[in-house]
Amino acid sequence: MKKLVLLGALALSVLSMQAFADEKPLKIGIEAAYPPFASKAPDGSIVGFDYDIGNALCAEMKVKCVWVEQEFDGLIPALKVRKIDAILSSMSITEDRKKSVDFTNKYYNTPARLVMKAGTQVSEGLTELKGKNIGVQRGSIHERFAREVLAPLGAEIKPYGSQNEIYLDVAAGRLDGTVADATLLDDGFLKTDAGKGFAFVGPAFTDVKYFGDGVGIAVRKGDALKDKINTAIAAIRENGKYKQIQDKYFAFDIYGK
């Protein structure tokens, strides 16, 4: 009888392993030019908060992660043509994007900020931005905000393919500033040598119309993958894996309220 029980357990184990092996890999789209959320290490590998969260979610769901690099403004088109299964690339949950894709629950939430030369005075009304060249990442929520809020005030909005390109032109004086996620700007620019002499200016931007309800993972409309990922997000929040990853990159609770 014991042998039969043992053989039965082994058979179940083999079937379980086979089911895991047969599970389709999850192709996740990411833009690896957005430190500390996603960037390239010297050896060419992807590193960052988004990348680690994605791998933790795949491990929780018992599927293999396959990361597909793409410029940010090409991520939703790639999802629609099934080049990828999900987007995990610091994409804010907005009503406009919800028309094209479904979102999971948030996995973090931070405000947007404006960075300019240290000492630059910018009031709540933002009128001081008239005539200033402000860089934004093309296809981002920050571009829409800048065009609809800052441009009417007289700011000149300059779209770029990546935030790293913006940093180069801000540091070189070809741009007067940039608006982007506050955590990204702090870790990716202000704390670097290139960011010396620059600082956050003006108010924090949190308008739900532009910045949504936090950052989520995008999937195709009606895809059951959304529920699976939501279950996995809740699980890594509960088992401590989320905090372990968060503490690797940030000294505060990035999940937000």
Side-chain angles (χ1 to χ4, degrees), residues 36-240:
F37 297 98
S39 60
K40 287 296 195 68
D43 65 0
S45 61
I46 304 173
V47 295
F49 177 78
D50 282 349
Y51 180 72
D52 287 355
I53 288 291
N55 286 329
L57 293 174
C58 284
E60 183 66 34
M61 294 186 290
K62 295 181 171 56
V63 295
K64 179 183 178 182
C65 270
V66 175
W67 293 91
V68 180
E69 290 184 59
Q70 180 86 45
E71 282 200 357
F72 190 81
D73 59 355
L75 285 168
I76 288 180
L79 180 65
K80 286 185 170 182
V81 299
R82 298 181 178 271
K83 181 180 177 182
I84 55 178
D85 303 309
I87 299 169
L88 204 168
S89 194
S90 290
M91 184 170 282
S92 295
I93 304 165
T94 65
E95 291 303 317
D96 190 50
R97 287 178 177 148
K98 284 180 185 178
K99 296 172 185 175
S100 300
V101 300
D102 282 347
F103 279 100
T104 64
N105 298 333
K106 72 170 185 177
Y107 67 96
Y108 80 85
N109 193 9
T110 53
R113 293 296 305 270
L114 181 67
V115 160
M116 299 179 76
K117 280 282 188 182
T120 302
Q121 297 300 310
V122 177
S123 63
E124 289 283 336
L126 307 173
T127 53
E128 297 86 352
L129 298 182
K130 184 177 181 179
K132 301 297 184 183
N133 291 312
I134 305 298
V136 290
Q137 185 168 12
R138 189 181 297 111
S140 68
I141 55 172
H142 306 100
E143 179 183 19
R144 182 188 172 205
F145 168 77
R147 291 195 183 282
E148 294 186 11
V149 176
L150 306 185
L153 296 173
E156 297 291 333
I157 309 305
K158 309 291 185 182
Y160 285 73
S162 76
Q163 196 65 36
N164 286 339
E165 294 174 62
I166 296 173
Y167 296 152
L168 291 173
D169 278 4
V170 170
R174 291 184 287 270
L175 288 171
D176 296 301
T178 180
V179 61
D181 179 85
T183 305
L184 166 78
L185 291 170
D186 191 34
D187 281 36
F189 184 61
L190 295 179
K191 290 180 179 177
T192 69
D193 289 340
K196 288 179 179 177
F198 294 90
F200 288 127
V201 300
F205 305 121
T206 58
D207 189 340
V208 172
K209 176 182 176 182
Y210 297 103
F211 304 108
D213 299 307
V215 171
I217 299 164
V219 299
R220 282 182 289 276
K221 282 283 188 181
D223 195 331
L225 179 60
K226 170 185 170 180
D227 293 332
K228 293 179 182 178
I229 296 176
N230 277 337
T231 299
I233 291 172
I236 66 170
R237 290 274 300 158
E238 179 69 25
N239 65 25

